[in-house]
Amino acid sequence: MKSFANWMIVTFMVMFWGFRIAVAYTAGKNIAFITTPINYIAEIVLLFITLVCIILVVKRIIWGGLIYLISYLVYFGTDLFNKIIPIMSGEQIGANVGFDIFISVIALFLAIIVVIDLATDYTKRPNDKKTDWFFNNKDLDREVDEKADRNNYKIY
């Protein structure tokens, strides 16, 4: 993990994974919760896929992010599509449908952010050709003798 942003993204992945565990557990025990899984079996499979992807993202492997994005696009993207089409046709929605849409949007947004974060590790900053000749050339380093003044005078 290279930066604070990497840690925060992984933290949000783990938090969303924990939320989906709570959703799957409450659905399995028939306890009322704020949302229900789209497909219970697919939710359990997605939880295990997400666990592997979190480990790969911590190791900064791009395939983990891509698998995470594809699995979330298939699971939450289809749910989002199936819930938005009736809204566009003019049907009224309930609070639970609105919350399901919100959860699906958050999941897709998180998956896209993960892939973007991993992709930035593989982009290379172009070299600054104007200054490389100076900083990469050891012949131009200043030779300091033993009589040199090593005080760092500062004028305040």
Side-chain angles (χ1 to χ4, degrees), residues 3 9 31 41 64 67 70-71 80 83 93 100-101 109 134:
S3 69
I9 290 171
I31 301 171
I41 303 297
I67 293 169
I70 291 169
S71 63
L80 185 65
K83 295 213 168 129
I93 62 167
D100 288 343
I101 290 173
F109 183 70
F134 180 77

Side-chain angles (χ1 to χ4, degrees), residues 111-129:
I112 291 168
I113 292 296
V114 167
V115 171
I116 289 172
D117 180 50
L118 289 173
T120 58
D121 286 348
Y122 293 99
T123 58
K124 185 179 177 196
R125 185 179 59 90
N127 291 335
D128 187 9
K129 304 256 189 266

Side-chain angles (χ1 to χ4, degrees), residues 127-140:
N127 291 335
D128 187 9
K129 304 256 189 266
K130 294 178 182 174
T131 59
D132 276 350
W133 66 270
F134 180 77
F135 291 109
N136 291 335
N137 193 351
K138 296 299 176 191
D139 295 335
L140 298 175

Side-chain angles (χ1 to χ4, degrees), residues 13 49-50 52-71 111 114-115 118-119 122:
M13 286 175 69
I49 290 172
T50 303
V52 171
C53 290
I54 288 172
I55 294 168
L56 291 175
V57 168
V58 167
K59 291 183 176 186
R60 309 303 294 162
I61 299 173
I62 191 82
W63 288 107
L66 291 175
I67 293 169
Y68 187 72
L69 176 66
I70 291 169
S71 63
V114 167
V115 171
L118 289 173
Y122 293 99

Side-chain angles (χ1 to χ4, degrees), residues 8-151:
M8 289 304 297
I9 290 171
V10 171
T11 302
F12 286 129
M13 286 175 69
V14 170
M15 286 171 36
F16 192 76
W17 181 67
F19 173 72
R20 295 313 296 179
I21 287 174
V23 168
Y25 177 77
T26 56
K29 295 288 184 181
N30 291 327
I31 301 171
F33 196 60
I34 54 179
T35 187
T36 57
I38 302 160
N39 182 351
Y40 185 71
I41 303 297
E43 182 83 24
I44 300 298
V45 171
L46 186 67
L47 287 173
F48 285 108
I49 290 172
T50 303
L51 180 63
V52 171
C53 290
I54 288 172
I55 294 168
L56 291 175
V57 168
V58 167
K59 291 183 176 186
R60 309 303 294 162
I61 299 173
I62 191 82
W63 288 107
L66 291 175
I67 293 169
Y68 187 72
L69 176 66
I70 291 169
S71 63
Y72 271 38
L73 275 175
V74 169
Y75 188 71
F76 290 107
T78 55
D79 177 55
L80 185 65
F81 181 77
N82 291 336
K83 295 213 168 129
I84 286 183
I85 292 299
I87 293 171
M88 296 187 115
S89 65
E91 288 184 28
Q92 295 290 339
I93 62 167
N96 59 349
V97 174
F99 192 72
D100 288 343
I101 290 173
F102 177 71
I103 294 295
S104 294
V105 167
I106 294 253
L108 292 174
F109 183 70
L110 181 63
I112 291 168
I113 292 296
V114 167
V115 171
I116 289 172
D117 180 50
L118 289 173
T120 58
D121 286 348
Y122 293 99
T123 58
K124 185 179 177 196
R125 185 179 59 90
N127 291 335
D128 187 9
K129 304 256 189 266
K130 294 178 182 174
T131 59
D132 276 350
W133 66 270
F134 180 77
F135 291 109
N136 291 335
N137 193 351
K138 296 299 176 191
D139 295 335
L140 298 175
D141 285 348
R142 180 183 265 183
E143 297 290 329
V144 180
D145 61 349
E146 65 275 354
K147 296 180 192 174
D149 188 9
R150 291 186 179 87
N151 292 325

